[in-house]
Amino acid sequence: MKKFYLKISALAFITAFAAISSAAKASVDHLETQEEKDLAISCDSGDGKYSACTKLVEILSKKCDSGDYESCGTIGIIFTDLGQYEFSSAPLIKACEANIMSYCSYLAISDILFTGNLERAAKVFDKICKQGISEEEKLACSIRKEIEDCSKDAKYDPLMKAKEIIKGL
């Protein structure tokens, strides 16, 4: 069980850096117009003007609906930054279904921390696992197995422990 918690911590740490760098890049580099870039700066990851965040989400939603899945992922991160977790999953799922693994990682960690959807987190870890052999993917494979094993053991609440570990980072 201790190995499970250590692996969750390691994946969270790796994922946080991957998602943060991806989100930061997406929030500026992915944006096409100066208006979008200005809104992203004003939104400031949810710490800035709320109106700028909502306007940016509105613009990116149109792009997401047109098949720009980087925009979908960016929307999911904005909603997460704003604490609106009930709205973050759908765009992150779209980005993950488009095989953008950084958003899959972000979705899995969000599921553990915010929505409590351990079943979907396990499926997303499985998807990441099947993508290749990078360290993050190897860790995702291991965590997927640990979640499955831990979920079968009535003595443990893997979701609560995973939340504690991730929040402690």
Side-chain angles (χ1 to χ4, degrees), residues 104-119:
C104 291
S105 296
Y106 201 92
L107 174 63
I109 296 301
S110 292
D111 279 341
I112 290 171
L113 287 177
F114 308 121
T115 67
N117 192 337
L118 191 58
E119 183 178 333

Side-chain angles (χ1 to χ4, degrees), residues 112-140:
I112 290 171
L113 287 177
F114 308 121
T115 67
N117 192 337
L118 191 58
E119 183 178 333
R120 183 171 59 208
K123 288 178 183 176
V124 172
F125 284 136
D126 191 47
K127 178 179 180 139
I128 296 166
C129 172
K130 291 177 180 176
Q131 290 298 308
I133 56 167
S134 75
E135 287 305 310
E136 184 177 348
E137 290 153 347
K138 286 180 188 176
L139 193 53

Side-chain angles (χ1 to χ4, degrees), residues 69-89:
Y69 299 109
E70 285 285 341
S71 292
C72 299
T74 302
I75 292 166
I77 290 173
I78 291 169
F79 279 133
T80 300
D81 289 345
L82 292 171
Q84 297 180 1
Y85 311 116
E86 66 274 17
F87 301 117
S88 66
S89 294

Side-chain angles (χ1 to χ4, degrees), residues 137-152:
E137 290 153 347
K138 286 180 188 176
L139 193 53
C141 296
S142 179
I143 289 173
R144 169 64 178 111
K145 173 128 178 52
E146 292 290 337
I147 288 172
E148 185 178 287
D149 293 346
C150 194
S151 295
K152 293 176 185 176

Side-chain angles (χ1 to χ4, degrees), residues 26-44 49 51-63 74 78:
S27 66
V28 179
D29 293 345
H30 170 67
L31 302 177
E32 296 172 0
T33 68
Q34 189 60 46
E35 177 189 20
E36 292 170 1
K37 292 176 184 179
D38 291 343
L39 287 169
I41 291 167
S42 293
C43 178
D44 188 25
K49 294 181 179 178
S51 61
C53 296
T54 56
K55 179 67 176 169
L56 183 57
V57 166
E58 182 182 314
I59 292 168
L60 294 177
S61 291
K62 291 175 185 169
K63 290 180 163 188
T74 302
I78 291 169

